[in-house]
Amino acid sequence: MDYGDKLFWLSVVIQRKYAQISAEFDLTPLQATLLCAVRNEPRQMADLAASLGMTKNALSQLVDRTARRELVGRAISAQDRRVVMLSATPTGKVLAEALFAEITKRLPEIARNLDADDQRDFERVATAIVDTSDLSSPTSNQPLTP
C-alpha cells in the first residue's frame, strides 16, 4: 500500500471509531459533529456549512433532524437579520459535553498499539494537520474534500 492508501484506511479507522462512539449516544456521526461544533457557542449556519464541507441545504436538513430531537436551535442574528445562528439547546449542550469528553478520551485509542514515541509523533502530526487546515478557519468558503 502506498501513502494515499494508508491515509484512506486511517480515515476509515477514525470514522469507524467515531461512528461507534456517536451510536452509543444515539446520534449519527453527522449529528455528533454538529453538536460538538456548537457546544461552546452559537455558530453562523453559513460558516458552519463551510467548515463541515456541507452545502447549506444539507446542513439545514441535518439541523432540522437534530432540532426535532430538541438538541439544537436556530435564531436570527441580532446584528444581521439575514444571518441564521445555530446553538445547542440546554439538553443538547449536556449531551454534546458528554459526547465530546468521550470522543477526546476514546478516539486516541486508534493509536494504542503504537509505542509512546510514535504516539507523541502521531499527536504532533495530527495537531499540525488540523492547525494548518481549512477546519481551523470557520470563515473558509471552501468545502472540505474527503
Side-chain angles (χ1 to χ4, degrees):
M1 278 194 237
D2 69 8
Y3 181 60
D5 288 336
K6 295 294 185 184
L7 288 176
F8 167 77
W9 288 109
L10 176 60
S11 81
V12 170
V13 168
I14 292 169
Q15 290 175 56
R16 284 178 58 189
K17 186 66 155 179
Y18 188 76
Q20 175 189 14
I21 296 166
S22 300
E24 291 171 10
F25 285 82
D26 194 30
L27 296 167
T28 67
L30 281 174
Q31 288 172 326
T33 299
L34 177 64
L35 272 180
C36 288
V38 299
R39 77 185 191 286
N40 290 327
E41 63 187 11
R43 301 272 309 265
Q44 290 185 16
M45 292 255 316
D47 289 346
L48 189 56
S51 293
L52 298 178
M54 301 176 78
T55 65
K56 291 176 189 176
N57 186 49
L59 177 59
S60 186
Q61 291 175 12
L62 174 62
V63 170
D64 288 345
R65 290 189 306 272
T66 311
R68 280 194 289 274
R69 295 185 58 189
E70 300 180 359
L71 301 175
V72 296
R74 292 181 179 98
I76 302 299
S77 169
Q79 291 80 19
D80 184 343
R81 294 186 49 81
R82 298 168 296 175
V83 175
V84 177
M85 302 298 291
L86 183 68
S87 60
T89 64
T91 300
K93 181 149 179 65
V94 169
L95 181 62
E97 292 296 339
L99 169 68
F100 193 76
E102 196 65 16
I103 289 166
T104 58
K105 178 179 125 190
R106 291 181 38 208
L107 201 54
E109 291 173 0
I110 65 167
R112 72 180 172 272
N113 292 328
L114 300 177
D115 66 35
D117 288 341
D118 286 343
Q119 285 183 20
R120 281 190 295 279
D121 288 344
F122 186 73
E123 179 182 359
R124 181 185 51 78
V125 170
T127 299
I129 290 169
V130 171
D131 288 350
T132 59
S133 73
D134 287 339
L135 282 175
S136 60
S137 175
T139 58
S140 168
N141 291 324
Q142 298 298 315
L144 301 174
T145 54

